[in-house]
Amino acid sequence: MKPEDDQERLNRNVNELLQELRVAQAGVQILFGFLLAVVFTEVYARASGFQRGVHLVTMLFAAASVALFTTPVAWHRLLFRHGQRPVIIRVANRMSVAGLGCLAATMTGTVLLVTNVVLGGWPSVLITVLVAAAFGLVWFLLPLRIRAGVAPEP
């Protein structure tokens, strides 16, 4: 098999990144729609101030996730055929990681909101802390630990 040249590697990296973003975008957009719709329900009218605050912050994290996950698509489209693939990949990687952080916060906030309505009090806090820790561990700490022991690709 012929080794891939720089241009082929850049093309592959862009394609892989855009595929990954399609998966993440779909999930966060569905969750964002749910968070938007909740405001127009009868249950929301009875929500506490705490629940409304959690909902608002969670919805803002969802909006940030959508913005961060779609940024690479916009950059790719606007810089298409301008020889900026290395820049697009570098920015897209950073935006994607930030988007994952916002998505983890969105998921954690949604868990807090739902468990607070269903269970209330300390059980909802405990479950939310465990969910946040799980996201931090599997999405960030474990991959960063592996990355620390591996040399980056050229």
Side-chain angles (χ1 to χ4, degrees):
M1 184 183 338
K2 170 186 135 196
E4 87 185 333
D5 65 24
D6 287 343
Q7 194 60 41
E8 290 169 330
R9 184 178 44 77
L10 287 172
N11 288 340
R12 181 181 50 80
N13 287 343
V14 167
N15 288 332
E16 288 175 0
L17 183 66
L18 293 176
Q19 269 305 107
E20 291 166 2
L21 289 172
R22 283 186 191 104
V23 172
Q25 283 175 353
V28 77
Q29 288 171 336
I30 290 166
L31 183 55
F32 187 56
F34 162 75
L35 290 167
L36 289 174
V38 165
V39 175
F40 302 104
T41 65
E42 289 181 34
V43 174
Y44 189 81
R46 297 186 307 265
S48 70
F50 173 76
Q51 291 165 343
R52 288 173 185 249
V54 169
H55 176 264
L56 179 62
V57 169
T58 301
M59 193 183 68
L60 294 174
F61 272 116
S65 296
V66 171
L68 290 165
F69 286 146
T70 56
T71 294
V73 176
W75 278 55
H76 181 259
R77 198 50 17 223
L78 292 170
L79 297 174
F80 185 66
R81 294 190 180 174
H82 283 85
Q84 297 300 309
R85 283 206 171 154
V87 173
I88 293 167
I89 292 169
R90 189 170 50 253
V91 169
N93 184 60
R94 290 182 182 138
M95 295 294 158
S96 298
V97 171
L100 286 171
C102 288
L103 179 55
T106 302
M107 297 293 289
T108 302
T110 302
V111 167
L112 177 58
L113 183 61
V114 172
T115 57
N116 186 265
V117 169
V118 174
L119 302 172
W122 286 107
S124 69
V125 172
L126 177 61
I127 291 168
T128 302
V129 167
L130 292 173
V131 166
F135 276 118
L137 179 68
V138 299
W139 281 12
F140 300 103
L141 295 178
L142 291 177
L144 287 172
R145 183 172 178 232
I146 292 169
R147 185 172 96 172
V150 178
E153 291 182 4

